[in-house]
Every structure is written in structure tokens, then in C-alpha cells.
């Protein structure tokens, strides 16, 4: 059962979305119930160590070796993750024509697996690998199989899972790691098809997201601290145009001063309620 304040906030959200199609923007908080760790705590502070920066990844083979050794051990958990009730609720809302578009900061494809379509992947997808030399893309499972074949010494090594398919791996395991080569050109500069920290969102993707915000009647943020500017700027667009800006999120967000309504509750619990309320 929902407590009274949350129920009242949810009723306000239902009224706002009853006749207008909102844009949905999701972050890591929607996928944590599926077993994928998030980057930040309830105060918006980053957990653990600094993630690898894009410039660092490009700069040296040692950096790419370190990244891929850790990522090889982290990928199975991402691949096995399955959508939860929150992903399924948003897929249902989209199928019923109750939302205008769906943007996600997540790179786990759980929205697609839940049945959502035309998802704007603001930060890309871990399920693809991009060659920086020839520009060709490969399926991550194929690259994973290649890495496991070339690095059998890591079989059975236990590493603590970190956000976005990363792991906390002892550096002693990294020195021998064989970095995968591109199946198309044999290049050695392979990267997951995601936006690294310090890297810009691809211009076509940023343009799609901006257009979605400009065309929406309002924006509902789900499970995001909005600390990444690529997401926060969409909230500013909505607020500057006087459209309703609301959020379901546990903890602080970068847009708290802009929000018209914030519901501090579990998106896995609240989004199914939203689906039922909009059915009436």
C-alpha cells in the first residue's frame, strides 16, 4: 500500500498525464531492481572510483586493456539482466499511446526487452561494440566470445560488479589481457558503443532528444539524479517553456529547483500504479 503523501502526489501526476502525452526520461534507478548497479547515492554523489574517461581510453593501449579486462567479467551480468515491473509499465504506456516518447540514459537495452520501441538511447548501448578505426559495429556477444577465448586465465575470476558492466578487478589480472581486435579491420581501438564520461552525445541523438522535449506536453523523469548534463538540459528546455516537469526518484536530483512535482518512491512500485490509473 502507498502512504498518503505519495498517493496524493501520484494523483497529481495522474491528473497531469490524463489528457496530455508526457515525454519519459529514465536513468539508472529504473534498472537497479534488475540487478544493475547505479553510479550515485541518494545525495547524487558518485559511488566508488572515478569511471574511465573517454580521453584516457583513447590515449593508451594500457587504458583499453584495463577497461576490457574488467568489462569482460562484467558483461555476463548485464546480458542476463531482465526488465522489471517499471520497464514493463512504460512499455504498456507506450503501447497504449499514453506517452509521446521514451528517452533513456541507460545502456542496458532493458526498455527494448520489455517491449518499448523507438527508444532514444542517449548514452548508447553496451550490446554493441564500435571500432574507432573503421567505424564498423559488432555484436557484444561476438566480441565477448573472442575475449574469453583469448583470455582463458580469467575464467572463474570473481570480480565485484560496478555500473555499466564494469567490475572492480585486481590490477594483477590486467597485465596479461589480450585486447580484442576488430573482426572487420583487425584494428585495436574497439570501444563499447556507449558515451563515455568526457565524451559528447552523438549530435543526431542529441537532436532527437531535444525535439522530443520540445514536442512533448510535459516531462516525467524516472530514476535519474540528472547529474549528467545531457539529461539535465532536457529538463531545462521543459521548464523554460512552462511545461510540467515531474519526477519519480529516490533522492536528490540536479533539477530539484525546477521540478513541479517529485515523488520519492520506488519506480518499480509506482509506475504500475500509474498504468492502472491512466487506464480509467
Amino acid at each position: 500500500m502507498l502512504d498518503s503523501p505519495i498517493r496524493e502526489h501520484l494523483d497529481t501526476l495522474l491528473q497531469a498525464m490524463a489528457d496530455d502525452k508526457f515525454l519519459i526520461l529514465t536513468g539508472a534507478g529504473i534498472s537497479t531492481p534488475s540487478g544493475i548497479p547505479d553510479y550515485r547515492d541518494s545525495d547524487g554523489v558518485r559511488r566508488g572510483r572515478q569511471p574511465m574517461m573517454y580521453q584516457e581510453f583513447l590515449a593508451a593501449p594500457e587504458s583499453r586493456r584495463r577497461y576490457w579486462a574488467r568489462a569482460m567479467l562484467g558483461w555476463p551480468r548485464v546480458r542476463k539482466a531482465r526488465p522489471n515491473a517499471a520497464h514493463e509499465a512504460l512499455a504498456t504506456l507506450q503501447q497504449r499511446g499514453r506517452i509521446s516518447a521514451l528517452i533513456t540514459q541507460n545502456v542496458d537495452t532493458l526498455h527494448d526487452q520489455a517491449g518499448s520501441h523507438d527508444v532514444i538511447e542517449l548514452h548508447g548501448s553496451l550490446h554493441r561494440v564500435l571500432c574507432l578505426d573503421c567505424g564498423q559495429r559488432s555484436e557484444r556477444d561476438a566480441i565477448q566470445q573472442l575475449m574469453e577465448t583469448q583470455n582463458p586465465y580469467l575464467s572463474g575470476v570473481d570480480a565485484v560488479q560496478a555500473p555499466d558492466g564494469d567490475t572492480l578487478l585486481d590490477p594483477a589480472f590486467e597485465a596479461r589481457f589480450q585486447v580484442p581486435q576488430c573482426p572487420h579491420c583487425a584494428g585495436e581501438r574497439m570501444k563499447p558503443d556507449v558515451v563515455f564520461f568526457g565524451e559528447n552525445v552523438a549530435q543526431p541523438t542529441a537532436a532527437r532528444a531535444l525535439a522530443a522535449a520540445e514536442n512533448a506536453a510535459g516531462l516525467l523523469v524516472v530514476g535519474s539524479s540528472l547529474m549528467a548534463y545531457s539529461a539535465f538540459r532536457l529538463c531545462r528546455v521543459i521548464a523554460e517553456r512552462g511545461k510540467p516537469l515531474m519526477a519519480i526518484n529516490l533522492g536528490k536530483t540536479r533539477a530539484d529547483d525546477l521540478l513541479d512535482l517529485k515523488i520519492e518512491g520506488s519506480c518499480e512500485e509506482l509506475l504500475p500504479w500509474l498504468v492502472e490509473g491512466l487506464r480509467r
Side-chain angles (χ1 to χ4, degrees):
M1 295 293 293
L2 302 178
D3 60 35
S4 296
I6 289 183
R7 190 62 180 270
E8 292 174 6
H9 287 328
L10 191 58
D11 287 341
T12 300
L13 177 59
L14 284 170
Q15 291 172 18
M17 296 183 65
D19 299 315
D20 292 317
K21 293 184 180 181
F22 273 44
L23 169 65
I24 308 295
L25 170 64
T26 69
I30 198 173
S31 292
T32 51
S34 294
I36 297 180
D38 56 1
Y39 271 107
R40 301 179 186 276
D41 62 20
S42 59
D43 293 320
V45 178
R46 183 179 292 134
R47 306 179 196 272
R49 69 184 178 205
Q50 175 85 8
M52 183 171 292
M53 303 295 289
Y54 182 56
Q55 295 75 12
E56 179 186 2
F57 184 85
L58 291 180
E62 292 78 13
S63 297
R64 295 190 288 277
R65 181 181 300 116
R66 183 167 71 253
Y67 173 84
W68 280 115
R70 300 186 319 211
M72 190 191 96
L73 297 179
W75 170 245
R77 185 169 178 178
V78 175
R79 181 178 55 199
K80 292 176 183 177
R82 293 296 177 262
N84 59 59
H87 297 103
E88 292 166 357
L90 291 179
T92 298
L93 289 177
Q94 187 180 43
Q95 290 159 10
R96 293 178 183 172
R98 302 306 305 243
I99 63 177
S100 62
L102 175 58
I103 300 173
T104 187
Q105 298 172 260
N106 299 337
V107 294
D108 51 37
T109 75
L110 292 182
H111 285 299
D112 292 86
Q113 293 179 45
S116 294
H117 57 85
D118 297 325
V119 179
I120 300 173
E121 295 175 328
L122 202 59
H123 297 154
S125 169
L126 279 176
H127 289 251
R128 302 184 299 268
V129 177
L130 171 68
C131 176
L132 298 175
D133 293 321
C134 71
Q136 295 291 319
R137 287 176 170 81
S138 303
E139 291 296 320
R140 174 58 189 268
D141 276 337
I143 302 302
Q144 181 75 10
Q145 184 176 3
L146 179 63
M147 289 191 292
E148 290 176 354
T149 300
Q150 294 177 335
N151 300 282
Y153 76 95
L154 283 178
S155 176
V157 171
D158 188 24
V160 177
Q161 191 79 17
D164 289 346
D166 195 7
T167 54
L168 305 181
L169 180 64
D170 190 316
F173 290 107
E174 298 169 3
R176 297 169 49 197
F177 189 81
Q178 297 296 309
V179 176
Q181 293 184 333
C182 174
H184 304 282
C185 74
E188 296 184 352
R189 297 198 309 155
M190 300 276 284
K191 72 178 285 285
D193 196 11
V194 300
V195 178
F196 273 49
F197 282 82
E199 184 181 7
N200 293 326
V201 173
Q203 195 281 328
T205 302
R208 282 187 67 201
L210 180 60
E214 291 176 338
N215 294 329
L219 172 60
L220 174 62
V221 177
V222 178
S224 175
S225 65
L226 300 169
M227 294 301 172
Y229 184 73
S230 56
F232 175 67
R233 70 188 292 260
L234 300 175
C235 296
R236 288 181 56 181
V237 167
I238 292 291
E240 288 168 358
R241 286 158 176 73
K243 299 176 182 180
L245 175 61
M246 303 183 177
I248 297 174
N249 188 69
L250 288 168
K252 179 182 178 181
T253 83
R254 187 175 180 178
D256 279 352
D257 291 342
L258 302 178
L259 293 173
D260 298 300
L261 175 72
K262 180 178 176 182
I263 307 176
E264 296 220 31
S266 164
C267 51
E268 188 182 23
E269 179 182 8
L270 296 184
L271 286 178
W273 277 78
L274 184 63
V275 170
E276 288 303 312
L278 291 174
R279 186 197 296 269
R280 302 176 194 135

